[in-house]
Amino acid sequence: MNLNESPRASRLHIAVFGRRNAGKSSLINALSRQEVSVVSPVQGTTTDPVYKAMELLPLGPVVLIDTAGLDDEGELGEQRKKKTMEVLYKTDVALLVIDALDGATAYDEQIAGMLKSRNIPVIGVINKTDLLSAANADRDAAVQADTCRDQFGFRFMPVSAASKKGINSLREALSAVVPAEEDKFRIIGDLLSPGDLVVLVTPIDKAAPKGRLILPQQQTIRDILESDAIAVVTKEHELKLTLESLGRKPRLVVTDSQVFLKAAADTPPDVPLTSFSILFARHKGDLEELVRGARAIDRLRDGDKVLIAEPCTHHTQPDDIGSVKLPRWIRQATGRTLEFHHANGMSFPDNVQDYALIVHCGGCMINRRQMLWRMEQAAAGGVPVVNYGVAIAHVQGILERAISPFPLARLVWEEECAADSTLTVEK
C-alpha cells in the first residue's frame, strides 16, 4: 500500500441493511457504479458481508458493506445474521432498504431499533419504485417515504436501483449525514504547527511486507506532511546521531513501542516522546480509558487469564510482539504465572468476562467505531483494557513520559496512582 491510498480502516464505513431481496446489492451497485455485489432474484444470495473500498463522490474514500438479510432462516441463516450483526459494530453510516412493493415490516423495525440504539446515522431507502404503478409511482413512493419517516423517526428517500432514479440525491444525502467528528481525530496533526520537526523511530518490522513500512508508520508520516510539518525517519540505532544532526530540537519523537527503552535513553529529557501505538490509542479508541487499564497489570494474580487481541492476521514471527514479547514482558513485570489467550482477526470473543485484562493492539486495521465497541464490550464485562503501547511503556517504567504530550491522559494516570497505593508515579 502506498501513501496515496486510504486503508480500509481509515475510510467511512457505509453499511446497507434490510430484508432479503429488498435490493440491497442492487443499491450498492448503483451507488458505486460498479458490479460490486451479486444480484439475483433468489432470496439470500448475499451470505457473508461484502466489503468494497472505493471513492464515492462527494464523500471521498468509503467502504460499502453489503449484508445478508436479518430475516434469513435456518441454521445457515442464523450464521449469516450473526455476521450481519458484527457489521453494526463498525458502521459509521447506515442505509436501511425497504422494498417499495412490500412496505415496512417488523424486521425493518428491528434493524432500525438496533441502529438507533448505537447512535448510527441512518437514511431509509424505499427501493424498487420503478415497479410501482406507472401512473402514480412518484406520488405513491413519496407517500410511502413520508409514512416510513413518521414510523421510524428518520428520513426515507424513494429510489430505483434498477433505473438509477434518485441515486444522485441519495449520494448527496449520505454526504450530509456523515458524523461531524469524522475529521476530528487526527493521528498527530493536531499536536503540530507548520514547520515542526517530528522524528519517527521505525525499526524494520519483519512482519511488514518486504520493501514497505508498516501501516501506522505510513499513516503517521502522511498526517505529519498534511500538517505542513517535517517528518524525519530513522531506525532505533541511528536515533541519537539523528537528533544530534538536526540543528534544532524536534517537537516530538515517536517510536515503535518495541524499542521504547532504547528511544527513551537516546532522546533528551526535554524532548517529548511517545509511540505510534499510543498515538493510535487516541486516534482509534479512548486513550484515557486505556491508560486506566494499565493499572490492572499491577493487579494481576497467579492463574489470571489475559487476552491479547489483534484484528489483523499477519504471519507470526519468532519474536512476535503479541504472542511472544508482550506475554514475556508482562510476566517479568508482575512476577505472576499467567494464562495468555489470543484473538486474531475481526471476530471478538463473546466471553470477555472470563479475562482479568485485555491487551489490544493499536487497531490500525479497524475503524474507530469498531475499536470503541470492543472497549464497550470489555467494560460491560467488567474487564479493563490497555493497548500495546500503553502496556509496554508501563511495564518498562516510562508510561508517564510516554503520555506527556497528552495532559488529560497524564492527569488520569496520576489520579490512578494516587488512588492505588500499589502504584507509583513513574519518573
Side-chain angles (χ1 to χ4, degrees), residues 333-349:
T334 62
R336 301 294 182 180
T337 302
L338 303 168
E339 185 178 327
F340 286 89
H341 295 198
H342 295 82
N344 298 95
M346 289 299 177
S347 295
F348 198 60

Side-chain angles (χ1 to χ4, degrees), residues 2-19:
N2 63 49
L3 296 186
N4 291 322
E5 295 175 335
S6 294
R8 177 186 288 181
S10 300
R11 293 169 176 257
L12 185 78
H13 284 50
I14 302 172
V16 182
F17 297 94
R19 292 177 291 120

Side-chain angles (χ1 to χ4, degrees), residues 229-292:
I230 302 165
V232 178
V233 183
T234 186
K235 293 192 295 184
E236 68 273 28
H237 298 296
E238 288 73 43
L239 172 60
K240 188 172 183 180
L241 177 60
T242 300
L243 292 172
E244 291 171 350
S245 303
L246 286 178
R248 62 184 171 107
K249 186 169 66 175
R251 170 67 183 85
L252 190 63
V253 172
V254 182
T255 182
D256 186 294
S257 298
Q258 298 183 64
V259 294
F260 239 141
L261 284 179
K262 172 67 174 168
D266 290 345
T267 302
D270 61 339
V271 175
L273 170 72
T274 193
S275 76
F276 293 101
S277 185
I278 289 176
L279 289 176
F280 271 74
R282 185 181 74 126
H283 179 56
K284 291 293 180 76
D286 182 334
L287 177 58
E288 289 72 43
E289 193 61 33
L290 293 166
V291 166
R292 286 192 181 93

Side-chain angles (χ1 to χ4, degrees), residues 50-80:
V50 176
Y51 296 79
K52 179 63 178 178
M54 65 182 62
E55 295 287 324
L56 185 64
L57 296 177
L59 283 170
V62 303
V63 175
L64 288 175
I65 311 173
D66 191 3
T67 67
L70 285 178
D71 58 332
D72 215 339
E73 299 170 343
E75 182 178 349
L76 182 58
E78 288 301 316
Q79 295 177 20
R80 292 171 177 170

Side-chain angles (χ1 to χ4, degrees), residues 93-172:
V93 178
L95 297 177
L96 175 57
V97 184
I98 291 176
D99 189 322
L101 296 181
D102 297 336
T105 70
Y107 288 110
D108 300 309
E109 291 184 349
Q110 177 190 2
I111 301 168
M114 290 186 293
L115 293 168
K116 289 194 288 187
S117 71
R118 297 203 58 79
N119 296 316
I120 298 172
V122 191
I123 296 176
V125 178
I126 306 295
N127 193 21
K128 303 185 182 180
T129 57
D130 55 299
L131 301 182
L132 295 172
S133 172
N136 301 307
D138 290 343
R139 185 197 65 186
D140 291 348
V143 168
Q144 192 171 168
D146 289 343
T147 301
C148 287
R149 180 197 61 204
D150 294 341
Q151 179 180 351
F152 291 93
F154 50 81
R155 180 184 184 183
F156 274 78
M157 302 182 66
V159 308
S160 167
S163 69
K164 309 300 187 291
K165 185 175 182 178
I167 295 298
N168 286 337
S169 296
L170 180 56
R171 290 194 190 98
E172 295 291 339

Side-chain angles (χ1 to χ4, degrees), residues 28 219 246 321 328 388:
I28 282 186
Q219 292 178 296
L246 286 178
I321 179 66
R328 182 176 71 240
Y388 280 16

